[in-house]
Amino acid sequence: MIGRRIGWKALGVVCRSLAATLTAGIGIRKAVELAANKSHDSVARRALGEVSEAIAQGNEVSEAMRAQGRAFPELLVEMVALGEHTGALPEILKRLGEHYENNIRLRRTFLGMIAWPCIQLVLAILVVGGVIYILGWIAESRGGEPLDIFGLGLIGTRGALTWYALTFGSLFGLIGGYLLVSRSLSGKMFLDPVLMRVPVVGKCMRAFALARFSWAFSLTQQTGMPIERCLQVSLRATRNGSFIAGTRSICRAVAAGDELHEAFAASGLFPGEFLEMVYVGETSGTIPETLARLSPHLEEDARRTLAMLAAMLAWGVWLAVAAFIIFLIFSVVFWYLGMLNQAMGGR
């Protein structure tokens, strides 16, 4: 069993490769072996190698993937199982490959937009620490009183190290804490509802969740999966703790006889426009087709909200840098005025 998760880039390559070889009529075990040889990811090669061995022993592909622990995402395993039972495995794998590649593009876009502001913030922190060190070194070399122009009580080497520990430690602590908490399902179900209440962040998270849900639900519905299982898989595919936490109540409402749009509305997770689309799909009996057509528009909306979020974070970082610079200027000015007052008082 593989403990590590295969990355999105490797999953995209694997899904594309499997889709192409299966479409060409190659057997599933040989297709898995070819995908393993084509992948440059060590975790993917090892996991696919064990999947190939399990297939040779008579296991289904989905069972062999599930036996690899966290290596393959649950959405991939579920969709492969559906493809095996419906004969649509190549098409499903092709759609999955597009899904993972789209996730990579969105992540690169976001990181590219906030990279320069983050570099500026790091440089500002380094400059302040450097000034603290240099002023302490000057005072020590001349045998004078160390200068604390920032008024933080941080002087010399120890002060600079303390400054770096406080600033970088806080940043890494926040980022590391979020990544640690969000790795577990229970952590996401606790953290995501909180983040969903933040104006721009919540809108971005909801847009991505709706796009992923629409894509997964349209695909699962087309394969003939029972409605409750479709909902479970699709809500989990959102990777949003709020939507995953609402799975039980939505499935319970549908099992009790509620229409889909009613169950979605009762959860409070879906916006009115989306509910109207689901209602139209229900009344016409074309929910899979409706959501399939809606999914690209939701993905475009998710990209726009991502750009808004990145711009907000960029402005936040720039404001922090500006605050650093302003604080530095005023600290130097007040220190200089204090020195003048002392000089004038000594006359």
Side-chain angles (χ1 to χ4, degrees):
M1 184 175 68
I2 309 296
R4 292 178 56 192
R5 189 184 298 274
I6 302 174
W8 285 343
K9 183 177 181 180
L11 285 173
V13 173
V14 167
C15 290
R16 288 279 194 180
S17 176
L18 288 173
T21 50
L22 291 174
T23 302
I26 297 175
I28 184 61
R29 185 187 177 191
K30 184 63 176 178
V32 171
E33 291 178 353
L34 292 173
N37 294 332
K38 187 175 181 179
S39 176
H40 298 290
D41 186 271
S42 60
V43 179
R45 285 199 305 271
R46 181 182 172 191
L48 290 171
E50 295 190 10
V51 168
S52 176
E53 293 178 3
I55 294 173
Q57 297 173 3
N59 294 312
E60 293 186 342
V61 183
S62 57
E63 294 176 351
M65 287 182 171
R66 187 173 285 110
Q68 301 309 309
R70 299 176 63 251
F72 297 98
E74 183 176 352
L75 175 64
L76 174 63
V77 176
E78 292 287 351
M79 300 310 296
V80 167
L82 287 173
E84 288 180 299
H85 296 157
T86 60
L89 186 56
E91 177 61 26
I92 288 175
L93 287 169
K94 180 181 177 181
R95 294 283 300 276
L96 285 168
E98 295 171 352
H99 170 68
Y100 292 121
E101 290 168 358
N102 184 52
N103 286 343
I104 294 172
R105 286 193 296 270
L106 291 173
R107 181 172 62 185
R108 286 176 178 172
T109 300
F110 177 75
L111 293 177
M113 294 182 71
I114 67 170
W116 177 238
C118 290
I119 291 173
Q120 289 179 313
L121 177 61
V122 171
L123 290 175
I125 294 173
L126 292 174
V127 167
V128 172
V131 171
I132 292 173
Y133 168 75
I134 291 172
L135 290 177
W137 175 78
I138 292 174
E140 183 179 351
S141 63
R142 295 184 177 182
E145 190 71 20
L147 303 177
D148 181 18
I149 63 173
F150 299 118
L152 301 175
L154 302 177
I155 300 170
T157 303
R158 180 175 296 181
L161 293 176
T162 302
W163 167 257
Y164 290 143
L166 290 173
T167 52
F168 288 124
S170 298
L171 290 174
F172 289 134
L174 287 173
I175 296 172
Y178 170 77
L179 294 176
L180 182 63
V181 172
S182 61
R183 285 187 65 182
S184 65
L185 180 58
S186 59
K188 291 184 70 64
M189 292 173 67
F190 168 78
L191 187 61
D192 286 351
V194 177
L195 295 176
M196 290 279 285
R197 296 188 180 94
V198 181
V200 179
V201 176
K203 184 178 180 181
C204 184
M205 293 176 65
R206 190 182 303 276
F208 275 105
L210 291 174
R212 291 165 181 156
F213 175 82
S214 300
W215 174 83
F217 194 69
S218 65
L219 193 57
T220 53
Q221 281 278 281
Q222 291 173 4
T223 58
M225 180 186 289
I227 183 63
E228 291 189 29
R229 190 56 183 158
C230 286
L231 290 169
Q232 293 171 356
V233 173
S234 302
L235 288 168
R236 197 175 183 89
T238 64
R239 301 203 306 274
N240 185 297
S242 294
F243 283 78
I244 296 173
T247 301
R248 182 175 298 179
S249 62
I250 293 174
C251 290
R252 188 185 297 120
V254 171
D258 290 353
E259 299 289 341
L260 276 176
H261 72 277
E262 295 173 337
F264 291 164
S267 70
L269 296 170
F270 298 85
E273 183 180 358
F274 185 88
L275 295 174
E276 287 294 330
M277 294 290 186
V278 173
Y279 174 74
V280 171
E282 281 186 299
T283 54
S284 61
T286 59
I287 286 184
E289 293 81 4
T290 299
L291 291 181
R293 291 192 299 269
L294 184 60
S295 181
H297 299 288
L298 291 172
E299 288 183 0
E300 183 61 31
D301 185 46
R303 292 189 186 95
R304 286 195 296 269
T305 57
L306 181 66
M308 291 174 55
L309 176 59
M312 185 193 73
L313 292 177
W315 276 106
V317 172
W318 283 327
L319 288 175
V321 173
F324 267 126
I325 296 173
I326 293 171
F327 176 73
L328 175 62
I329 292 173
F330 275 96
S331 297
V332 172
V333 169
F334 284 130
W335 168 80
Y336 184 70
L337 292 176
M339 294 291 291
L340 287 179
N341 288 333
Q342 289 180 7
M344 293 177 64
R347 291 182 176 180

